[in-house]
Structure formats: C-alpha cells, structure tokens
Amino acid sequence: MWDRHDPERLEQRIRVERDGSVTALSGKIEFGQGIRTAFAQIVADELDIPIERVNVVLGDTDQVPFDFGTFGSHSVAQETPLLRKAAAFARQQLIDRASAKLGLPAEKLDTDAGVVVGGGKRVPYAELLDSEPLAGTIPDRVALMPEKRRRYAGRPMPHVEARAIVTGRATFVADVRLPGMARGAMVRPPMRGAKLRSLDDSAARAMPGVIAVVRQGDVVGVVAERDEQARAAAGAVVAEWHAIPVEGPTAEVPMRSDADVDARLRTASVRLAQTYVLPPIASAPIGPSAAVADVRGYGATMYVGTQRPFGVREQIAKILGIPEKKVRVLPQITSGTYGRNSSADAAIEAAILSKGSGRPVLLQWTREEEFAWSPSRPEAVLEISAGVDADGRIAAWRYDEHTNVHTAAGLDPQVLVVTSGRNAVPPYAGFPAKVTLHIEPTRLRTANFRSLAAAENVFAIESFMDELASLSQQDPLGFRLRHIDDDRFRRVVERVAERSGLGERLGNRRGRGIGCTLYHGTYVAQVAEVEVSLAGAVRLLKVWCVVDPGQTLNPEGVRNQIEGGIQQSASWTLKEELLHRDGRVMNTGWDTYPIATFRDAPESIEVLVEGDEAAPPTGVGEPGAVPTAAAIANAVYAASGARMRSVPLTRERVRKAMAG
C-alpha cells in the first residue's frame, strides 16, 4: 500500500512476475476511454515484451500508487511519462542483472521480446528475479527505447478488455458475488437534506428474508437474503422526516479582466448581446450505481465503480471509523458515467449496511433512484456582449457565466475556475475581455460531469461567434480564423472545414455548422450537418471532427473516444433535460427522460486524428463532447434560419424559433 507522499518508486509502477509477464500499476481508472490499452502499449514498448504479456492493474488501493482521481482528460498526459520512465528503468535493471549473471558488459547486452540477449546467450526476464524484485527510486533521467523500436505506441489497437466485455465475461460491479453475500435497499427521504425524526421498522423486521434494518444517523436501509425481499422491507419501514431545503453555495470569481472592455464596447461599430440557457441534465448511466461492501472486524473491502478509488477509501474509512489502511478499494468495470462515479454514495451506503448486518452486501440503485438522487450537470445561464470594429474584428468581449457548483471540492476560486468555469475564457485572440463566473444556489445535487462546464460555455461562445459573424456580414469560418493566432488551432479548424465542405449550399432544409475549442491542450473542431423539418424536428445526419491531442498512443482509441463524446453530446443537445421542482426531480425514468438511441445516431461520424507528434500527449476522454452542441445549433440555423439559444433543441422550441 503506497502513500500519497511516497517518491515514485519502481515497485509502485512495474512488477516483473515469476512467469516473465509484467504488471503495470496505476491509480487511474478505465471506464471506456482506453487507458488500460494505452498504458499496456507504453510498458510493452519500453520493456520490449509482447503486449499480451502485460497486465495493467488500475485503482487497487492495496497495490497502486496514490492518485487523486481520473477526470479532466488528464490520465494519458499524467501517467505516460511516469510509466514510460518506470518501464525503461525496469529494463535497465534487467540488463544490469543479466550483465552480472553472464559476466558481460551491460553495453554488450540488449533485450528481445522478454529476454536479455548478448554474447550468443539468452536470459528470460523471469530468471533474473532471483529473490529480489525490481525496486528503487525512479531517476528523473533514464534512457528510453528508441522510437524506431517501439512496436505498439502510435498504432491502432483494440481495447485489451474489449473481448471480455462483448462476450459477457467482464465483471461489472453488480456482477460481484461473495460467499454469504446479502442484498441491500435504502429507505429514501422525500428530499435531499431531510432529517429523520422517527422510525418504525417492526413490520420490516418481521418480513421474510430480512437480516437487519440498519440505521446510522439519517441513513436507513434494509439487508435481506434476496433483492426483492430487501426492497419490499424497505417499503414497509415507516419513517417520519423533517424536510430541510438544501441549496448549493454562491460565489463570484473574476476569470479575466482586461482594461478598456466597457469603453471599447461603447464605441464598437456593431454591438451584440445574447443569453444562452442550458438545463440540468442527468448522468443517466445505462447501469445504475452499485457497490459491494465486505466490512469485517479487520477492515473493509469495497468493490465499486469509481473514478476516485483513494477518495472512496478515505470516505469509507471515515464513515466506518477505521484507519484508511484497513480499507481496500477494488474498482470494477462500470457502465460509463463520466463524472457520476466521482461520488461514493452507493459505496458509503453499502458499507453502512454491511457493517450493520455483519454480512457482505450488494447494493444496487434502481433507475428511479439514479435519476432522483445522483448528482446532475448544473444548469447554466450564459450572458455575452461583444462589439465588432470597423475592420470586422472583435473590439471587446464581456462574458458572465451563471451556473451551480460543478464539484464537491468547496469554493476555492482556483478549483471553481477549472471546474465550473472551464472554457469560459474564449480561445480567440486580439481583443480585451472581461469574464466572470457567478456560482449560484440550487436545490439539486450537482457535481462533476463530462467536460465539467466546458460543453455549456463552448455552446454559448461558438453560437455567439456565429451570431457575431452574421451580424457583421462575415463568413462564420473566416470570422473565426481572423481571431486565431495558434497554428495548431488554426489547422484543425481549416481541416474540418475543408473535409466537411462547410461552405457548400445544401438546400432541402439541410445545413452545416461549426464548433471548435481548445480543451486542456487538445485542439478539436467539428462540423455537424442536420436536416430540419417544417415541423421543427432536427435530425443529425453527419459529423466531421479533426482532433489534435499531441503525441498519439492509440489512434483507434482516440477515434473511439471522440465518436462516443459526439454521440453523448448530441443526446444532451437534442433530447435531455432534467425537470425539477423545489429540489425534487420530476422525470425519473426513460419514458420521461429520453436519451439518444441507435435510431438517433448520425449516418456517419468521421474523425481525423491529426496529432502534433512533437507535442506531449493530451487527453481525449472529454474534448469530443465539448463543441458538438454549438455545431448542431449553428447547423440548425443554416438549415432553417432558427437561431437556438437554449437546449435541448426540441421540435417545439425549433418550430417556435422558426416562426420568430
């Protein structure tokens, strides 16, 4: 078990096993973005071993080094240099050991597919372990494998876990089975923050299969032999609650404040002010939250779907009143929730039920619980004012983002800027700007969501750029290019416009629109083509995307992530809205909260991965979802003349905008 303050050591990162295979260790989590495959590629290259012989362990808190969590498209950027150096250091140690064993100078030795070779002799890695595993502090500088000898990094590869998933052999959280395991169900209050006044559990305790009714503070649940027994008994518990409305925090954070913004706005040749509105939306995972807890006298073992295994360990230790070192978190495959799994709610509830019943407990939320109780993406109201000078360039820009808090990490201004204020500062250059983030209260439970606030801010910024271009009688593409001074950014924008035929007139109520941004070092530009019926129905037909994530480990993995982000963001844009009243979610099923299905998928999504190989790798888990809404909304305008400033782009809203 490694502490967050330990220096980077080889044994934290790489193990050569007795059978000659290699185990790579990382605190990051795989939930569809392909990092297990990317990490295997790196380690296989640097250790000169077939990739089939590399096993990647992610997030097991008893094995891997401390990690704050998997979010923000940081995994590849953060872990690539560390794993690469660790694997190269391991190879160096193996060569040194072979040198001593064979009596040959290290410079006369090399490696080949898991074997040290030289002087006509071959020594498999497994024979170099003796009784001492590879260990030591990883040096800052270590000789890496020459690029020409790398066989895996930079080449398309299927995800290493893909076969197990599609054949049903993969273990998701709710698939975990332990000896003596019982099932749990929670007794929910009427609203978030309610306090328990009284409890009558006599009827529940007498029901078949019930093992225990567990209460810890305001948390109440039932443990039974079978799931249906636990749920029936939870429904029989009579609880009286004191409803206390809970609202999120407030804050105001200046993000950029250049001089002369107001003066230059007043003297601009053309001025425009618009407001864009985005509703709260649900994470809506296909598989609802689940956790298995096994709390014994010696500690707790947790099987969870999480993006923050060490965060879960800390929270479980606190709720159980035991040291963190007595909690082991074993992350399992989850159903892909991008932000939802930063919260440990199901794990905490399972741990309380397991401790109270003395049995391992599987707790799986229902679909209704997932909608009603999980954190949502905050709503946003985005106000933009800008002016264009006589030369057709932006003279000044003012932006006010009104949203709810996007993280549970408190009100530290730096945290708020990188979460709730992400991408609020426009990526364009050549004009002064004033950008202010306003955190406003909400009774909904809000938290991390894919791209945090970036998708909302880019929807507003890129929609407004189109409106500014139209008002100043300029082409939307040319208008953007006039304000881009970053060569990589310019290249992706020009390439996607060229590839998609952005400027072509389509007719037949079809149109194309563009959206682009720079997200955490990843450049991404998209063009969407839509068809809008006379009744206002929007059909997404095609999407083109060019992405530059720097050095690319697995181009196929990048394409997969970008395609998935586009599909998910299209669903947010065209269909999704979480309805609520006084903090209570009103639509708690697929019948009232529709998401995009296969029939809604566009005819084609073309992703061109054109990374600058001279630049360090950046993430792609989130960028693909960021500019999609703006590209679709701008395409709707091109097709129908309806300027959409709020989502989802429902038939009724589009029809109303067309009439206007």
Side-chain angles (χ1 to χ4, degrees):
M1 185 186 302
W2 309 105
D3 186 81
R4 70 190 70 186
H5 304 298
D6 289 339
E8 282 285 334
R9 293 186 59 83
L10 180 59
E11 60 268 34
Q12 291 178 276
R13 291 291 185 175
I14 298 293
R15 287 201 310 260
V16 177
E17 309 291 0
R18 294 295 171 182
D19 62 358
S21 65
V22 172
T23 298
L25 303 158
S26 172
K28 298 299 183 185
I29 294 297
E30 169 71 64
F31 50 101
Q33 74 276 43
I35 63 171
R36 189 186 301 275
T37 305
F39 294 169
Q41 289 176 279
I42 294 166
V43 171
D45 276 341
E46 292 300 330
L47 267 166
D48 199 6
I49 190 170
I51 196 168
E52 297 81 12
R53 302 280 287 160
V54 177
N55 176 45
V56 180
V57 173
L58 300 174
D60 179 346
T61 55
D62 272 12
Q63 296 193 65
V64 305
F66 176 84
D67 188 273
F68 279 104
T70 305
F71 39 74
S73 295
H74 287 314
S75 296
V76 169
Q78 289 178 347
E79 293 291 271
T80 291
L82 299 174
L83 282 170
R84 180 161 277 152
K85 284 197 301 183
F89 185 42
R91 179 173 176 266
Q92 176 185 307
Q93 286 201 8
L94 289 166
I95 289 176
D96 289 342
R97 290 189 180 192
S99 173
K101 189 179 187 75
L102 299 175
L104 294 170
E107 57 269 21
K108 297 290 186 181
L109 300 176
D110 201 351
T111 56
D112 178 28
V115 177
V116 179
V117 297
K121 299 179 180 179
R122 300 172 59 86
V123 185
Y125 290 171
E127 295 181 14
L128 296 170
L129 299 181
D130 299 323
S131 60
E132 293 293 329
L134 303 184
T137 301
I138 301 169
D140 289 333
R141 300 180 65 85
V142 60
L144 302 178
M145 184 69 75
E147 188 171 341
K148 64 182 179 182
R149 288 186 58 181
R150 294 176 183 170
R151 294 183 291 167
Y152 300 107
R155 292 167 174 76
M157 290 198 66
H159 287 191
V160 296
E161 69 276 13
R163 182 176 295 276
I165 291 174
V166 300
T167 58
R169 293 198 299 271
T171 300
F172 288 75
V173 180
D175 296 328
V176 172
R177 295 293 182 270
L178 302 178
M181 188 178 77
R183 304 297 290 263
M186 305 307 297
V187 178
R188 300 289 181 192
M191 64 188 302
R192 185 165 70 101
K195 300 298 181 181
L196 186 61
R197 281 181 166 175
S198 64
L199 181 74
D200 181 357
D201 59 8
S202 56
R205 290 182 181 277
M207 294 178 72
V210 171
I211 298 166
V213 177
V214 180
R215 177 184 178 182
Q216 182 169 322
D218 296 311
V219 178
V220 181
V222 175
V223 179
E225 297 292 349
R226 299 201 305 268
D227 183 70
E228 69 273 15
Q229 294 171 333
R231 295 193 188 282
V237 173
V238 179
E240 183 183 357
W241 301 90
H242 176 47
I244 303 175
V246 176
E247 292 190 341
T250 61
E252 185 169 301
V253 184
M255 295 183 61
R256 179 171 165 180
S257 188
D258 299 334
D260 300 329
V261 170
D262 292 337
R264 294 184 66 170
L265 279 174
R266 285 194 298 269
T267 59
S269 300
V270 174
R271 293 187 297 274
L272 179 66
Q274 296 293 4
T275 300
Y276 302 86
V277 179
L278 298 99
I281 57 177
S283 290
I286 296 300
S289 298
V292 173
D294 188 4
V295 180
R296 307 289 179 102
Y298 54 79
T301 304
M302 305 295 305
Y303 302 82
V304 299
T306 181
Q307 293 168 233
R308 300 179 59 245
F310 287 90
V312 173
R313 185 182 72 170
E314 179 182 5
Q315 290 178 278
I316 297 301
K318 183 177 180 180
I319 205 75
L320 296 179
I322 61 177
E324 286 186 33
K325 65 182 180 180
K326 291 192 174 184
V327 179
R328 182 179 187 181
V329 177
L330 290 164
Q332 307 295 305
I333 295 176
T334 187
S335 58
T337 51
Y338 282 107
R340 168 69 183 97
N341 283 335
S342 292
S343 303
D345 34 27
I348 290 170
E349 291 169 349
I352 290 172
L353 295 185
S354 179
K355 179 183 179 181
S357 64
R359 296 270 292 271
V361 172
L362 165 60
L363 175 73
Q364 183 165 13
W365 286 21
T366 64
R367 176 62 54 196
E368 182 179 5
E369 286 177 304
E370 190 65 51
F371 274 115
W373 293 98
S374 68
S376 58
R377 185 180 83 175
E379 52 197 318
V381 176
L382 309 161
E383 300 172 328
I384 317 180
S385 301
V388 177
D389 62 24
D391 294 328
R393 297 183 63 89
I394 296 174
W397 180 283
R398 186 167 60 221
Y399 188 91
D400 287 276
E401 177 192 357
H402 302 266
T403 189
N404 316 126
V405 68
H406 282 67
T407 176
L411 293 180
D412 184 313
Q414 290 184 323
V415 174
L416 291 175
V417 165
V418 299
T419 57
S420 300
R422 183 162 294 178
N423 280 69
V425 176
Y428 300 104
F431 53 87
K434 182 178 181 180
V435 179
T436 307
L437 168 64
H438 308 265
I439 298 296
E440 301 190 354
T442 178
R443 290 187 179 179
L444 285 178
R445 181 185 175 206
T446 61
N448 306 43
F449 199 92
R450 192 174 195 177
S451 87
L452 294 165
E456 300 100 286
N457 284 318
V458 172
F459 168 71
I461 291 168
E462 287 298 288
S463 296
F464 191 74
M465 288 294 287
D466 258 40
E467 293 204 55
L468 269 183
S470 177
L471 186 63
S472 60
Q473 299 182 340
Q474 298 184 65
D475 168 65
L477 172 63
F479 184 67
R480 284 174 171 81
L481 293 174
R482 295 188 71 181
H483 297 90
I484 294 176
D485 62 3
D486 183 319
D487 289 340
R488 291 173 68 188
F489 192 21
R490 173 178 291 272
R491 187 175 68 249
V492 298
V493 171
E494 291 178 333
R495 283 285 286 134
V496 80
E498 172 194 5
R499 189 74 178 190
S500 64
L502 176 61
E504 297 175 7
R505 297 186 64 85
L506 302 178
N508 298 321
R509 305 194 63 79
R510 293 190 177 194
R512 291 178 184 149
I514 189 170
C516 53
T517 197
L518 168 62
Y519 181 91
H520 263 314
T522 296
Y523 298 83
V524 58
Q526 295 175 6
V527 169
E529 180 179 326
V530 304
E531 181 180 67
V532 182
S533 75
L534 290 171
V538 178
R539 169 69 176 158
L540 180 61
L541 301 175
K542 299 177 183 178
V543 181
W544 295 264
C545 179
V546 177
V547 59
D548 175 0
Q551 185 183 48
T552 303
L553 298 174
N554 184 357
E556 193 61 38
V558 172
R559 275 188 285 272
N560 290 342
Q561 280 300 285
I562 297 298
E563 288 175 7
I566 290 169
Q567 294 270 19
Q568 186 177 22
S569 189
S571 182
W572 305 336
T573 306
L574 298 173
K575 291 181 173 293
E576 298 184 39
E577 180 174 9
L578 198 63
L579 304 174
H580 62 100
R581 184 179 300 139
D582 295 327
R584 301 188 189 191
V585 174
M586 311 304 293
N587 44 344
T588 58
W590 296 129
D591 56 336
T592 53
Y593 188 96
I595 62 173
T597 63
F598 283 114
R599 71 181 62 183
D600 301 300
E603 298 168 3
S604 65
I605 299 176
E606 182 178 356
V607 178
L608 301 181
V609 182
E610 300 189 354
D612 182 345
E613 291 299 315
T618 52
V620 294
E622 296 178 303
V626 175
T628 309
I632 292 173
N634 290 334
V636 168
Y637 176 76
S640 67
R643 182 62 74 183
M644 304 305 300
R645 300 186 185 97
S646 62
V647 296
L649 308 183
T650 61
R651 184 194 306 259
E652 294 74 19
R653 284 179 175 157
V654 175
R655 184 169 63 242
K656 183 177 179 180
M658 288 165 57

